[in-house]
Amino acid sequence: MAAAPAAAAGQGMDPLRVGFVGAGRMAEAIAQGFIRAGKVEAQHVLASAPTDSNLSHFQALGCRTTHSNQEVLQNCFLVFFATKPHVLPAVLAEVAPVVTAEHILVSVAAGVSLSTLEELLPPTARVLRVSPNLPCMVQEGAMVMARGRHAGSSEAKLLQTLLEACGQCEEVPEAHVDIHTGLSGSGVAFVCAFSEALAEGAIKMGMPGGLAHRIAAQTLLGTAKMLQQKGQHPAQLRTDVCTPGGTTIYGLHALEQGGLRAATMSAVEAATCRARELSGK
């Protein structure tokens, strides 16, 4: 790829063309966030995958698709690698011959370190690593990013600006990326399990299922907004809800008896340790 298109895209003179190698749920979530926020036009997104099953989701968004990973890099200077972690080394080896100094390469594969990425790519490749989560699909993602050795502040700023279309994005040391996977990547499932349990408690007490699940989800959403907007520690908000001898303290006692706090901490620890295992750390 010539230098001119990439430079022009950075200056807003030419449309930003974004590629996705791998077209699963996370790639779709990020692409959908970019398109919904107006950061990238759907026609300027190109996604590749071995089969049509995942590509159909990109086609529904109005994106272009291909079965050639190299074609993505030949047409896009900002490329997200969203394959399964065990597949990524072979994919990087395949595309390495067409990587240029103009490319910004972003991995969203859990557990694949920056050093591994850089070993598999040309020596001066500009590489960043992002840990996203599924709520990127509704522009409420919680993401962190880390830079490789040759990615500068301009590349980081471009990526962060784009990803903020999908939610919150913060730059962190790479050591925090695997922890983020345990906290927020896997945490989506933990929160869903809690939301399901909340609703099932209400169902047990006689509330219709649909209503219980809607109220549980809204309770989580409202609580999260209060924590963000007020900047309070969760313990303070919890204390505000509790009145002496009231319903909440009785319920909290039951949660403590069930080991909710310890179980949740252990879940984050287990998911983080698994991410580190995948990294070979």
PDB file of all heavy atoms in Angstrom, residues 177-211:
ATOM      1  N   VAL A 177      -3.952  -5.785  30.397  1.00  0.00           N
ATOM      2  CA  VAL A 177      -4.879  -6.244  29.354  1.00  0.00           C
ATOM      3  C   VAL A 177      -5.523  -7.570  29.728  1.00  0.00           C
ATOM      4  O   VAL A 177      -6.744  -7.748  29.584  1.00  0.00           O
ATOM      5  CB  VAL A 177      -4.171  -6.324  27.989  1.00  0.00           C
ATOM      6  CG1 VAL A 177      -5.101  -6.948  26.945  1.00  0.00           C
ATOM      7  CG2 VAL A 177      -3.730  -4.928  27.533  1.00  0.00           C
ATOM      8  N   ASP A 178      -4.734  -8.520  30.211  1.00  0.00           N
ATOM      9  CA  ASP A 178      -5.306  -9.819  30.592  1.00  0.00           C
ATOM     10  C   ASP A 178      -6.261  -9.666  31.781  1.00  0.00           C
ATOM     11  O   ASP A 178      -7.267 -10.384  31.876  1.00  0.00           O
ATOM     12  CB  ASP A 178      -4.207 -10.815  30.938  1.00  0.00           C
ATOM     13  CG  ASP A 178      -3.445 -11.291  29.711  1.00  0.00           C
ATOM     14  OD1 ASP A 178      -4.010 -11.235  28.607  1.00  0.00           O
ATOM     15  OD2 ASP A 178      -2.282 -11.715  29.863  1.00  0.00           O
ATOM     16  N   ILE A 179      -5.948  -8.727  32.687  1.00  0.00           N
ATOM     17  CA  ILE A 179      -6.847  -8.481  33.817  1.00  0.00           C
ATOM     18  C   ILE A 179      -8.167  -7.924  33.301  1.00  0.00           C
ATOM     19  O   ILE A 179      -9.251  -8.298  33.772  1.00  0.00           O
ATOM     20  CB  ILE A 179      -6.213  -7.502  34.830  1.00  0.00           C
ATOM     21  CG1 ILE A 179      -4.878  -8.053  35.334  1.00  0.00           C
ATOM     22  CG2 ILE A 179      -7.165  -7.259  36.004  1.00  0.00           C
ATOM     23  CD1 ILE A 179      -4.083  -7.058  36.171  1.00  0.00           C
ATOM     24  N   HIS A 180      -8.088  -7.048  32.306  1.00  0.00           N
ATOM     25  CA  HIS A 180      -9.314  -6.501  31.707  1.00  0.00           C
ATOM     26  C   HIS A 180     -10.150  -7.605  31.082  1.00  0.00           C
ATOM     27  O   HIS A 180     -11.384  -7.584  31.156  1.00  0.00           O
ATOM     28  CB  HIS A 180      -8.961  -5.451  30.651  1.00  0.00           C
ATOM     29  CG  HIS A 180     -10.158  -4.908  29.932  1.00  0.00           C
ATOM     30  ND1 HIS A 180     -10.664  -5.509  28.792  1.00  0.00           N
ATOM     31  CD2 HIS A 180     -10.970  -3.850  30.188  1.00  0.00           C
ATOM     32  CE1 HIS A 180     -11.731  -4.826  28.386  1.00  0.00           C
ATOM     33  NE2 HIS A 180     -11.925  -3.823  29.214  1.00  0.00           N
ATOM     34  N   THR A 181      -9.494  -8.587  30.470  1.00  0.00           N
ATOM     35  CA  THR A 181     -10.227  -9.718  29.898  1.00  0.00           C
ATOM     36  C   THR A 181     -11.047 -10.417  30.973  1.00  0.00           C
ATOM     37  O   THR A 181     -12.219 -10.748  30.769  1.00  0.00           O
ATOM     38  CB  THR A 181      -9.251 -10.715  29.244  1.00  0.00           C
ATOM     39  OG1 THR A 181      -8.547 -10.060  28.192  1.00  0.00           O
ATOM     40  CG2 THR A 181      -9.992 -11.921  28.684  1.00  0.00           C
ATOM     41  N   GLY A 182     -10.439 -10.623  32.141  1.00  0.00           N
ATOM     42  CA  GLY A 182     -11.153 -11.268  33.239  1.00  0.00           C
ATOM     43  C   GLY A 182     -12.242 -10.401  33.830  1.00  0.00           C
ATOM     44  O   GLY A 182     -13.323 -10.887  34.185  1.00  0.00           O
ATOM     45  N   LEU A 183     -11.976  -9.100  33.933  1.00  0.00           N
ATOM     46  CA  LEU A 183     -12.925  -8.173  34.549  1.00  0.00           C
ATOM     47  C   LEU A 183     -14.082  -7.823  33.633  1.00  0.00           C
ATOM     48  O   LEU A 183     -15.246  -7.843  34.046  1.00  0.00           O
ATOM     49  CB  LEU A 183     -12.191  -6.892  34.961  1.00  0.00           C
ATOM     50  CG  LEU A 183     -13.053  -5.693  35.389  1.00  0.00           C
ATOM     51  CD1 LEU A 183     -13.833  -6.007  36.653  1.00  0.00           C
ATOM     52  CD2 LEU A 183     -12.186  -4.464  35.578  1.00  0.00           C
ATOM     53  N   SER A 184     -13.772  -7.486  32.390  1.00  0.00           N
ATOM     54  CA  SER A 184     -14.788  -6.889  31.521  1.00  0.00           C
ATOM     55  C   SER A 184     -15.148  -7.744  30.311  1.00  0.00           C
ATOM     56  O   SER A 184     -16.315  -7.815  29.941  1.00  0.00           O
ATOM     57  CB  SER A 184     -14.299  -5.512  31.046  1.00  0.00           C
ATOM     58  OG  SER A 184     -15.327  -4.815  30.398  1.00  0.00           O
ATOM     59  N   GLY A 185     -14.142  -8.402  29.711  1.00  0.00           N
ATOM     60  CA  GLY A 185     -14.465  -9.287  28.591  1.00  0.00           C
ATOM     61  C   GLY A 185     -15.336 -10.442  29.069  1.00  0.00           C
ATOM     62  O   GLY A 185     -16.463 -10.637  28.609  1.00  0.00           O
ATOM     63  N   SER A 186     -14.827 -11.173  30.051  1.00  0.00           N
ATOM     64  CA  SER A 186     -15.607 -12.260  30.653  1.00  0.00           C
ATOM     65  C   SER A 186     -16.685 -11.723  31.586  1.00  0.00           C
ATOM     66  O   SER A 186     -17.712 -12.373  31.818  1.00  0.00           O
ATOM     67  CB  SER A 186     -14.681 -13.195  31.440  1.00  0.00           C
ATOM     68  OG  SER A 186     -13.713 -13.762  30.588  1.00  0.00           O
ATOM     69  N   GLY A 187     -16.443 -10.518  32.116  1.00  0.00           N
ATOM     70  CA  GLY A 187     -17.381  -9.927  33.075  1.00  0.00           C
ATOM     71  C   GLY A 187     -18.788  -9.746  32.541  1.00  0.00           C
ATOM     72  O   GLY A 187     -19.754  -9.748  33.318  1.00  0.00           O
ATOM     73  N   VAL A 188     -18.923  -9.602  31.224  1.00  0.00           N
ATOM     74  CA  VAL A 188     -20.264  -9.493  30.630  1.00  0.00           C
ATOM     75  C   VAL A 188     -21.086 -10.729  30.982  1.00  0.00           C
ATOM     76  O   VAL A 188     -22.266 -10.629  31.348  1.00  0.00           O
ATOM     77  CB  VAL A 188     -20.169  -9.315  29.099  1.00  0.00           C
ATOM     78  CG1 VAL A 188     -21.559  -9.371  28.456  1.00  0.00           C
ATOM     79  CG2 VAL A 188     -19.494  -7.994  28.758  1.00  0.00           C
ATOM     80  N   ALA A 189     -20.463 -11.889  30.897  1.00  0.00           N
ATOM     81  CA  ALA A 189     -21.167 -13.134  31.241  1.00  0.00           C
ATOM     82  C   ALA A 189     -21.473 -13.199  32.730  1.00  0.00           C
ATOM     83  O   ALA A 189     -22.539 -13.679  33.139  1.00  0.00           O
ATOM     84  CB  ALA A 189     -20.337 -14.345  30.815  1.00  0.00           C
ATOM     85  N   PHE A 190     -20.547 -12.694  33.556  1.00  0.00           N
ATOM     86  CA  PHE A 190     -20.783 -12.707  35.006  1.00  0.00           C
ATOM     87  C   PHE A 190     -21.974 -11.817  35.359  1.00  0.00           C
ATOM     88  O   PHE A 190     -22.818 -12.187  36.183  1.00  0.00           O
ATOM     89  CB  PHE A 190     -19.543 -12.221  35.761  1.00  0.00           C
ATOM     90  CG  PHE A 190     -18.255 -12.925  35.417  1.00  0.00           C
ATOM     91  CD1 PHE A 190     -17.033 -12.307  35.640  1.00  0.00           C
ATOM     92  CD2 PHE A 190     -18.261 -14.203  34.875  1.00  0.00           C
ATOM     93  CE1 PHE A 190     -15.841 -12.945  35.333  1.00  0.00           C
ATOM     94  CE2 PHE A 190     -17.075 -14.858  34.552  1.00  0.00           C
ATOM     95  CZ  PHE A 190     -15.861 -14.214  34.781  1.00  0.00           C
ATOM     96  N   VAL A 191     -22.030 -10.646  34.726  1.00  0.00           N
ATOM     97  CA  VAL A 191     -23.139  -9.724  34.985  1.00  0.00           C
ATOM     98  C   VAL A 191     -24.458 -10.323  34.502  1.00  0.00           C
ATOM     99  O   VAL A 191     -25.495 -10.198  35.164  1.00  0.00           O
ATOM    100  CB  VAL A 191     -22.877  -8.358  34.315  1.00  0.00           C
ATOM    101  CG1 VAL A 191     -24.107  -7.461  34.396  1.00  0.00           C
ATOM    102  CG2 VAL A 191     -21.684  -7.662  34.989  1.00  0.00           C
ATOM    103  N   CYS A 192     -24.415 -11.014  33.358  1.00  0.00           N
ATOM    104  CA  CYS A 192     -25.637 -11.663  32.861  1.00  0.00           C
ATOM    105  C   CYS A 192     -26.112 -12.747  33.827  1.00  0.00           C
ATOM    106  O   CYS A 192     -27.322 -12.913  34.046  1.00  0.00           O
ATOM    107  CB  CYS A 192     -25.396 -12.259  31.475  1.00  0.00           C
ATOM    108  SG  CYS A 192     -25.338 -11.027  30.156  1.00  0.00           S
ATOM    109  N   ALA A 193     -25.163 -13.488  34.394  1.00  0.00           N
ATOM    110  CA  ALA A 193     -25.533 -14.529  35.363  1.00  0.00           C
ATOM    111  C   ALA A 193     -26.200 -13.899  36.587  1.00  0.00           C
ATOM    112  O   ALA A 193     -27.193 -14.423  37.110  1.00  0.00           O
ATOM    113  CB  ALA A 193     -24.299 -15.325  35.771  1.00  0.00           C
ATOM    114  N   PHE A 194     -25.676 -12.743  37.031  1.00  0.00           N
ATOM    115  CA  PHE A 194     -26.270 -12.062  38.179  1.00  0.00           C
ATOM    116  C   PHE A 194     -27.649 -11.504  37.830  1.00  0.00           C
ATOM    117  O   PHE A 194     -28.604 -11.614  38.620  1.00  0.00           O
ATOM    118  CB  PHE A 194     -25.346 -10.942  38.661  1.00  0.00           C
ATOM    119  CG  PHE A 194     -25.875 -10.213  39.867  1.00  0.00           C
ATOM    120  CD1 PHE A 194     -25.977 -10.850  41.087  1.00  0.00           C
ATOM    121  CD2 PHE A 194     -26.295  -8.892  39.778  1.00  0.00           C
ATOM    122  CE1 PHE A 194     -26.471 -10.196  42.210  1.00  0.00           C
ATOM    123  CE2 PHE A 194     -26.792  -8.226  40.881  1.00  0.00           C
ATOM    124  CZ  PHE A 194     -26.881  -8.877  42.103  1.00  0.00           C
ATOM    125  N   SER A 195     -27.771 -10.924  36.633  1.00  0.00           N
ATOM    126  CA  SER A 195     -29.068 -10.388  36.202  1.00  0.00           C
ATOM    127  C   SER A 195     -30.111 -11.499  36.130  1.00  0.00           C
ATOM    128  O   SER A 195     -31.264 -11.330  36.562  1.00  0.00           O
ATOM    129  CB  SER A 195     -28.929  -9.711  34.836  1.00  0.00           C
ATOM    130  OG  SER A 195     -30.151  -9.151  34.414  1.00  0.00           O
ATOM    131  N   GLU A 196     -29.701 -12.657  35.616  1.00  0.00           N
ATOM    132  CA  GLU A 196     -30.598 -13.806  35.522  1.00  0.00           C
ATOM    133  C   GLU A 196     -31.038 -14.259  36.918  1.00  0.00           C
ATOM    134  O   GLU A 196     -32.220 -14.535  37.159  1.00  0.00           O
ATOM    135  CB  GLU A 196     -29.888 -14.938  34.794  1.00  0.00           C
ATOM    136  CG  GLU A 196     -30.736 -16.171  34.572  1.00  0.00           C
ATOM    137  CD  GLU A 196     -29.974 -17.286  33.873  1.00  0.00           C
ATOM    138  OE1 GLU A 196     -28.720 -17.259  33.887  1.00  0.00           O
ATOM    139  OE2 GLU A 196     -30.630 -18.189  33.334  1.00  0.00           O
ATOM    140  N   ALA A 197     -30.080 -14.296  37.852  1.00  0.00           N
ATOM    141  CA  ALA A 197     -30.398 -14.724  39.220  1.00  0.00           C
ATOM    142  C   ALA A 197     -31.329 -13.728  39.908  1.00  0.00           C
ATOM    143  O   ALA A 197     -32.255 -14.129  40.630  1.00  0.00           O
ATOM    144  CB  ALA A 197     -29.113 -14.890  40.024  1.00  0.00           C
ATOM    145  N   LEU A 198     -31.086 -12.417  39.694  1.00  0.00           N
ATOM    146  CA  LEU A 198     -31.978 -11.398  40.251  1.00  0.00           C
ATOM    147  C   LEU A 198     -33.412 -11.640  39.788  1.00  0.00           C
ATOM    148  O   LEU A 198     -34.359 -11.657  40.586  1.00  0.00           O
ATOM    149  CB  LEU A 198     -31.548  -9.996  39.795  1.00  0.00           C
ATOM    150  CG  LEU A 198     -30.561  -9.186  40.615  1.00  0.00           C
ATOM    151  CD1 LEU A 198     -30.347  -7.836  39.937  1.00  0.00           C
ATOM    152  CD2 LEU A 198     -31.041  -8.986  42.046  1.00  0.00           C
ATOM    153  N   ALA A 199     -33.555 -11.820  38.462  1.00  0.00           N
ATOM    154  CA  ALA A 199     -34.892 -12.001  37.899  1.00  0.00           C
ATOM    155  C   ALA A 199     -35.534 -13.294  38.415  1.00  0.00           C
ATOM    156  O   ALA A 199     -36.732 -13.326  38.717  1.00  0.00           O
ATOM    157  CB  ALA A 199     -34.809 -12.016  36.370  1.00  0.00           C
ATOM    158  N   GLU A 200     -34.741 -14.350  38.516  1.00  0.00           N
ATOM    159  CA  GLU A 200     -35.305 -15.621  38.967  1.00  0.00           C
ATOM    160  C   GLU A 200     -35.757 -15.560  40.423  1.00  0.00           C
ATOM    161  O   GLU A 200     -36.720 -16.237  40.814  1.00  0.00           O
ATOM    162  CB  GLU A 200     -34.294 -16.744  38.745  1.00  0.00           C
ATOM    163  CG  GLU A 200     -34.158 -17.095  37.259  1.00  0.00           C
ATOM    164  CD  GLU A 200     -33.159 -18.188  36.986  1.00  0.00           C
ATOM    165  OE1 GLU A 200     -32.349 -18.508  37.890  1.00  0.00           O
ATOM    166  OE2 GLU A 200     -33.176 -18.731  35.866  1.00  0.00           O
ATOM    167  N   GLY A 201     -35.092 -14.722  41.213  1.00  0.00           N
ATOM    168  CA  GLY A 201     -35.570 -14.504  42.576  1.00  0.00           C
ATOM    169  C   GLY A 201     -36.955 -13.892  42.581  1.00  0.00           C
ATOM    170  O   GLY A 201     -37.834 -14.297  43.365  1.00  0.00           O
ATOM    171  N   ALA A 202     -37.175 -12.926  41.685  1.00  0.00           N
ATOM    172  CA  ALA A 202     -38.486 -12.288  41.591  1.00  0.00           C
ATOM    173  C   ALA A 202     -39.529 -13.257  41.035  1.00  0.00           C
ATOM    174  O   ALA A 202     -40.694 -13.265  41.473  1.00  0.00           O
ATOM    175  CB  ALA A 202     -38.399 -11.041  40.707  1.00  0.00           C
ATOM    176  N   ILE A 203     -39.103 -14.088  40.070  1.00  0.00           N
ATOM    177  CA  ILE A 203     -40.021 -15.089  39.504  1.00  0.00           C
ATOM    178  C   ILE A 203     -40.447 -16.077  40.596  1.00  0.00           C
ATOM    179  O   ILE A 203     -41.626 -16.450  40.695  1.00  0.00           O
ATOM    180  CB  ILE A 203     -39.347 -15.822  38.322  1.00  0.00           C
ATOM    181  CG1 ILE A 203     -39.137 -14.851  37.150  1.00  0.00           C
ATOM    182  CG2 ILE A 203     -40.187 -17.021  37.869  1.00  0.00           C
ATOM    183  CD1 ILE A 203     -38.202 -15.383  36.074  1.00  0.00           C
ATOM    184  N   LYS A 204     -39.495 -16.467  41.423  1.00  0.00           N
ATOM    185  CA  LYS A 204     -39.815 -17.371  42.528  1.00  0.00           C
ATOM    186  C   LYS A 204     -40.872 -16.779  43.449  1.00  0.00           C
ATOM    187  O   LYS A 204     -41.736 -17.489  43.984  1.00  0.00           O
ATOM    188  CB  LYS A 204     -38.542 -17.679  43.323  1.00  0.00           C
ATOM    189  CG  LYS A 204     -38.773 -18.618  44.508  1.00  0.00           C
ATOM    190  CD  LYS A 204     -37.481 -18.873  45.276  1.00  0.00           C
ATOM    191  CE  LYS A 204     -37.739 -19.787  46.468  1.00  0.00           C
ATOM    192  NZ  LYS A 204     -36.517 -20.016  47.277  1.00  0.00           N
ATOM    193  N   MET A 205     -40.821 -15.448  43.597  1.00  0.00           N
ATOM    194  CA  MET A 205     -41.770 -14.782  44.490  1.00  0.00           C
ATOM    195  C   MET A 205     -43.084 -14.427  43.801  1.00  0.00           C
ATOM    196  O   MET A 205     -43.971 -13.825  44.410  1.00  0.00           O
ATOM    197  CB  MET A 205     -41.134 -13.523  45.079  1.00  0.00           C
ATOM    198  CG  MET A 205     -39.858 -13.784  45.880  1.00  0.00           C
ATOM    199  SD  MET A 205     -40.007 -15.117  47.086  1.00  0.00           S
ATOM    200  CE  MET A 205     -41.227 -14.442  48.205  1.00  0.00           C
ATOM    201  N   GLY A 206     -43.230 -14.782  42.499  1.00  0.00           N
ATOM    202  CA  GLY A 206     -44.512 -14.630  41.826  1.00  0.00           C
ATOM    203  C   GLY A 206     -44.583 -13.628  40.704  1.00  0.00           C
ATOM    204  O   GLY A 206     -45.647 -13.435  40.109  1.00  0.00           O
ATOM    205  N   MET A 207     -43.485 -12.953  40.366  1.00  0.00           N
ATOM    206  CA  MET A 207     -43.516 -11.968  39.280  1.00  0.00           C
ATOM    207  C   MET A 207     -43.401 -12.679  37.926  1.00  0.00           C
ATOM    208  O   MET A 207     -42.620 -13.635  37.797  1.00  0.00           O
ATOM    209  CB  MET A 207     -42.367 -10.955  39.444  1.00  0.00           C
ATOM    210  CG  MET A 207     -42.359  -9.867  38.369  1.00  0.00           C
ATOM    211  SD  MET A 207     -41.038  -8.642  38.619  1.00  0.00           S
ATOM    212  CE  MET A 207     -41.752  -7.659  39.948  1.00  0.00           C
ATOM    213  N   PRO A 208     -44.118 -12.231  36.893  1.00  0.00           N
ATOM    214  CA  PRO A 208     -43.973 -12.826  35.556  1.00  0.00           C
ATOM    215  C   PRO A 208     -42.543 -12.696  35.047  1.00  0.00           C
ATOM    216  O   PRO A 208     -41.868 -11.686  35.298  1.00  0.00           O
ATOM    217  CB  PRO A 208     -44.939 -12.002  34.694  1.00  0.00           C
ATOM    218  CG  PRO A 208     -45.932 -11.449  35.667  1.00  0.00           C
ATOM    219  CD  PRO A 208     -45.185 -11.208  36.936  1.00  0.00           C
ATOM    220  N   GLY A 209     -42.092 -13.715  34.314  1.00  0.00           N
ATOM    221  CA  GLY A 209     -40.703 -13.777  33.891  1.00  0.00           C
ATOM    222  C   GLY A 209     -40.236 -12.599  33.061  1.00  0.00           C
ATOM    223  O   GLY A 209     -39.170 -12.033  33.303  1.00  0.00           O
ATOM    224  N   GLY A 210     -41.008 -12.233  32.034  1.00  0.00           N
ATOM    225  CA  GLY A 210     -40.603 -11.133  31.162  1.00  0.00           C
ATOM    226  C   GLY A 210     -40.413  -9.838  31.927  1.00  0.00           C
ATOM    227  O   GLY A 210     -39.425  -9.110  31.742  1.00  0.00           O
ATOM    228  N   LEU A 211     -41.367  -9.555  32.804  1.00  0.00           N
ATOM    229  CA  LEU A 211     -41.294  -8.337  33.616  1.00  0.00           C
ATOM    230  C   LEU A 211     -40.080  -8.384  34.546  1.00  0.00           C
ATOM    231  O   LEU A 211     -39.354  -7.388  34.679  1.00  0.00           O
ATOM    232  CB  LEU A 211     -42.577  -8.186  34.432  1.00  0.00           C
ATOM    233  CG  LEU A 211     -42.652  -6.987  35.386  1.00  0.00           C
ATOM    234  CD1 LEU A 211     -42.537  -5.680  34.621  1.00  0.00           C
ATOM    235  CD2 LEU A 211     -43.950  -7.033  36.204  1.00  0.00           C
TER     236      LEU A 211
END
